[in-house]
Amino acid sequence: MDPIVATTVSVISAATPLLLAANGELVAEKAGVLNLGVEGMMLVGAVSGFAVTLITGSATLGILAAASAGALLALLFGLLTLGLMANQVATGLALTIFGVGVSSLVGAGFVGTPVERLPRLDIPGLSDLPVLGPLLFGHDALVYLSVAMVALTAWFLGRTRAGMILRACGENDEAAHALGYPVIAVRFAAVLFGGVMSGLAGAFLSLSYTPMWVEAMTAGRGWIALALVVFAAWRPWRLLIGAYLFGGVTILQLHAQGLGLFAVPSQVLSMLPYLATILVLTLIAAGSGRRRLDAPACLGRPFRPPA
Amino acid sequence: MLRIEARPEPSRRMLLATPFLAVLLTVVSGALLFALLGRDPLVSLHAFFVTPVSSLYGLGELGLKATPLILIGIGLAAGFRANVWNIGAEGQLVLGAVCGGGVALWFWEVDAPWVFPLMVVAAVAGGMAWAAIPAFLKTRLEVNEILVSLMLTYVAVLLLSALVYGPWKDPEGFNFPQSRMFGEAALMPPVVEGTRLHAGILVALAVALAAWLWQARTLSGFTLKVVGLAPAAARFAGFERRRTVWLTLLLGGGLAGLAGLFEVAGPIGQLVPQVSPGYGFTAIIVAFLGRLHPVGVVLAALLVALSYIGGETAQIEAGLPQAVTGVFQGMLLFFLLATDFLIRYRLRPVARRRGAEGR
């Protein structure tokens, strides 16, 4: 394979978990809920997906388990923040601390065991095309799902009535309630969707990106996904640009490390994705002026329907 | 049937009672978890919560682990009061260890009384500098301090790793990724014989006392609360939000840096790739469990410190994985957040019509 094509394929792979998780968080935030527990939900998804795939031998069951595990943690988050009106920031942090702990507890027995990588969906003929073949075909199902979900989310939020109701709950919860929409139920659904997507992002890490389980293997990707939502100004299609940009930075620094391109320690290159996140957040804030208006107006605000 | 009813004002009694309720629920769930893992719950709980503190050495370890949690918890609590979310204390701790440790390594052959004070200054400055980045970006451009301070944690850990794998590696250390041992003048000796407890605990308690006096008795301490609870009123009263952001982040960063120094100059005695088992994150739980109050933070830090040592003891005695510690800490915060509901709401039996008319 041509080295440029090979690099691009690995960028797609590095971008996929970010895209999945960020897409889920975007929907939750659009409904007005800030869930900082993405990292925890991803880890629990990663370990469940890995464990179930290893035990049952079925990657499909593994992916389903990862999605359910992410949803389960999201359910906990929803019960606390939407049911008991707990502080969303604190609860999200608790979710991450809890997720890190639970995943390493469950995963303790699996460290070092390899699992078969997710099967690539090869289409005979098309996958063998030069350049386009490896770029467009022959990825695994989660890669296609990550892109399809962006399209689906954009369509849902922009073109459907249900999507409009969801946005209304995020922009003005009291008005949405007054119009008779079930604000809490809508938010709950959005949070659960976020959990499923984070779980899938975790499954991609432990089943495809590096098919094994390592403690805290998300390495801050959940937090980068949160930053991506800000980067995308809460617009689904922009997530695609952001995720692939960050995937690019990740792969570039890995390649630079491998080739020993720069006379700096590998750790300095590993800092790049995190520094890039800070830089991007800063540039957006500096360049936007009033762009903050893009954030859903009720983001992070608890809502209790008047009895 | 029970009905949820908003309280006219937050219940002070519940504010104090819910942390205990949360601890109780955590212990009960912990017993269930142990049973689920196929262990005798009572034996495991004993190994987790009692064995560690039934010796002088164990009590010393408790104080040792509570020290960074108190220091960082005090700083974070001040920030949380003012709605400033510094989540990167772990990174500020690491920077403190790097800067303070750097001084120790630079003067490793010098045995002079000024070495340690210089290390303290460097560590506090390092932690503050790391916290100044989110403070600057927050006050100038409204960049989210949660994400910036957290990203900087990863950067700090990588920086420490680059140093101990590279230029700061012990030349006589058989290529292990660690610095040389600090000199005599740069170390904190134990203050209680038979333990590893060093003078840091006294500093931590003094800091807690000072924070209490500051928040209860001075205008600037009171400002924190107003800025956090009623931003509009604070503006009206002329309290500057920006100043509060700077103040709380620098305070949190400086204290975290100090905690990092105490770790490397105390029990560790050199720079290693991992200088903290996540104290910076756990201190978030400590701050909440302590009700953002300095005295509460001290008590909460002791309890959470127990969960660290308990995890170690349970691993040795009952063969439980050490990750149980993280699960316990996560559960504790969950239960606390859940029971906090009782502060603002109460559950009332739904009374019959006639009974309800009484009011």
Side-chain angles (χ1 to χ4, degrees):
Chain A
M1 216 190 297
D2 181 64
I4 295 177
V5 174
T7 307
T8 315
V9 169
S10 50
V11 169
I12 294 173
S13 195
T16 299
L18 297 175
L19 192 55
L20 285 166
N23 192 355
E25 178 68 16
L26 183 138
V27 172
E29 290 192 15
K30 270 289 184 191
V33 188
L34 178 68
N35 185 353
L36 296 182
V38 179
E39 182 89 356
M41 299 191 292
M42 276 176 81
L43 275 171
V44 171
V47 79
S48 323
F50 182 87
V52 170
T53 305
L54 193 71
I55 292 164
T56 65
S58 155
T60 313
L61 284 180
I63 290 172
L64 285 176
S68 323
L72 206 63
L73 244 63
L75 180 74
L76 196 60
F77 178 86
L79 286 175
L80 282 166
T81 59
L82 301 172
L84 299 176
M85 273 141 303
N87 180 311
Q88 293 181 8
V89 173
T91 312
L93 292 171
L95 204 62
T96 289
I97 293 172
F98 183 70
V100 172
V102 168
S103 63
S104 47
L105 182 64
V106 174
F110 300 113
V111 176
T113 324
V115 71
E116 208 173 317
R117 190 184 290 268
L118 282 184
R120 295 176 197 286
L121 305 178
D122 274 315
I123 302 165
L126 287 179
S127 299
D128 304 327
L129 285 175
V131 184
L132 279 185
L135 277 188
L136 295 181
F137 308 102
H139 297 292
D140 54 59
L142 287 177
V143 173
Y144 296 114
L145 183 74
S146 71
V147 180
M149 286 312 286
V150 171
L152 197 67
T153 304
W155 168 78
F156 172 78
L157 289 176
R159 308 261 168 215
T160 68
R161 195 178 153 72
M164 194 203 70
I165 295 170
L166 186 143
R167 283 187 290 134
C169 293
E171 292 297 340
N172 192 336
D173 42 19
E174 274 158 24
H177 174 77
L179 288 172
Y181 298 124
V183 175
I184 297 292
V186 169
R187 287 190 172 169
F188 226 114
V191 165
L192 287 179
F193 175 77
V196 167
M197 295 298 278
S198 288
L200 292 176
F204 181 82
L205 283 175
S206 65
L207 295 178
S208 174
Y209 192 65
T210 46
M212 55 180 168
W213 164 252
V214 183
E215 227 173 81
M217 68 186 300
T218 45
R221 285 188 182 83
W223 296 100
I224 294 181
L226 279 158
L228 278 178
V229 177
V230 181
F231 171 85
W234 290 267
R235 294 190 177 93
W237 286 111
R238 289 201 196 169
L239 280 183
L240 214 54
I241 306 170
Y244 281 80
L245 207 67
F246 272 87
V249 173
T250 310
I251 295 303
L252 273 184
Q253 62 91 3
L254 278 179
H255 276 259
Q257 277 185 37
L259 297 170
L261 275 184
F262 304 101
V264 291
S266 63
Q267 289 94 343
V268 174
L269 291 169
S270 303
M271 291 174 190
L272 285 178
Y274 309 112
L275 292 173
T277 308
I278 298 175
L279 184 71
V280 159
L281 287 172
T282 308
L283 288 179
I284 288 174
S288 66
R290 293 177 63 80
R291 177 86 85 62
R292 247 165 292 141
L293 294 176
D294 288 339
C298 294
L299 185 59
R301 222 173 65 180
F303 173 73
R304 186 175 143 76
Chain B
M1 268 299 285
L2 288 170
R3 196 162 56 99
I4 296 169
E5 189 181 276
R7 291 178 190 273
E9 43 190 282
S11 156
R12 258 197 89 72
R13 212 158 24 135
M14 280 299 169
L15 193 70
L16 297 176
T18 51
F20 294 98
L21 188 58
V23 170
L24 188 72
L25 286 168
T26 307
V27 170
V28 172
S29 318
L32 283 173
L33 177 72
F34 288 137
L36 217 66
L37 288 168
R39 303 302 194 315
D40 183 332
L42 288 181
V43 171
S44 305
L45 281 179
H46 192 269
F48 203 95
F49 288 109
V50 184
T51 318
V53 284
S54 42
S55 68
L56 179 67
Y57 180 79
L59 285 171
E61 290 296 291
L62 187 73
L64 195 68
K65 296 213 155 49
T67 302
L69 293 175
I70 295 174
L71 285 170
I72 305 171
I74 293 283
L76 294 188
F80 295 167
R81 267 180 179 229
N83 249 330
V84 179
W85 298 95
N86 175 10
I87 305 304
E90 182 78 2
Q92 293 142 23
L93 178 154
V94 169
L95 245 278
V98 164
C99 293
V103 171
L105 293 173
W106 187 262
F107 296 112
W108 71 283
E109 282 173 313
V110 179
D111 189 18
W114 49 263
V115 172
F116 191 74
L118 192 63
M119 286 164 66
V120 170
V121 172
V124 171
M128 281 186 171
W130 217 236
I133 301 170
F136 177 79
L137 293 175
K138 171 85 180 172
T139 50
R140 280 303 168 92
L141 298 164
E142 281 288 322
V143 182
N144 184 316
E145 76 276 22
I146 299 178
L147 291 172
V148 174
S149 61
L150 194 98
M151 289 292 132
L152 284 173
T153 297
Y154 290 96
V155 176
V157 170
L158 285 165
L159 174 70
L160 172 62
S161 155
L163 289 170
V164 294
Y165 275 92
W168 289 6
K169 188 157 62 180
D170 183 357
E172 288 125 49
F174 305 102
N175 222 15
F176 277 107
Q178 51 194 32
S179 77
R180 57 169 92 241
M181 293 298 293
F182 293 171
E184 209 46 51
L187 289 173
M188 305 176 78
V191 287
V192 182
E193 209 156 321
T195 70
R196 300 197 297 162
L197 189 64
H198 56 67
I201 184 72
L202 301 175
V203 177
L205 292 175
V207 165
L209 186 67
W212 186 15
L213 292 176
W214 172 55
Q215 285 170 17
R217 306 273 154 169
T218 69
L219 181 64
S220 76
F222 177 67
T223 310
L224 291 186
K225 212 170 164 180
V226 182
V227 169
L229 286 178
R235 259 196 312 278
F236 191 65
F239 299 158
E240 253 261 66
R241 161 111 181 121
R242 279 187 195 185
R243 250 185 45 201
T244 309
V245 172
W246 272 105
L247 181 71
T248 51
L249 272 164
L250 289 184
L251 180 73
L255 288 174
L258 192 61
L261 175 75
F262 286 172
E263 284 305 295
V264 292
I268 305 178
Q270 66 190 137
L271 285 180
V272 290
Q274 200 200 4
V275 293
S276 150
Y279 289 133
F281 295 112
T282 313
I284 298 170
I285 304 177
V286 169
F288 280 113
L289 191 66
R291 290 273 161 248
L292 309 184
H293 188 286
V295 177
V297 165
V298 171
L299 297 176
L302 286 169
L303 181 81
V304 173
L306 184 58
S307 76
Y308 271 115
I309 323 170
E312 286 167 20
T313 319
Q315 188 183 20
I316 300 162
E317 291 214 341
L320 288 161
Q322 212 185 332
V324 168
T325 303
V327 178
F328 261 80
Q329 294 174 351
M331 281 198 303
L332 184 57
L333 187 50
F334 274 137
F335 282 127
L336 184 74
L337 292 165
T339 49
D340 273 359
F341 182 74
L342 297 172
I343 298 173
R344 283 164 297 136
Y345 299 91
R346 60 183 154 204
L347 300 171
R348 284 216 145 173
V350 173
R352 311 243 160 193
R353 269 267 158 115
R354 221 167 279 160
E357 272 166 22
R359 298 213 155 175

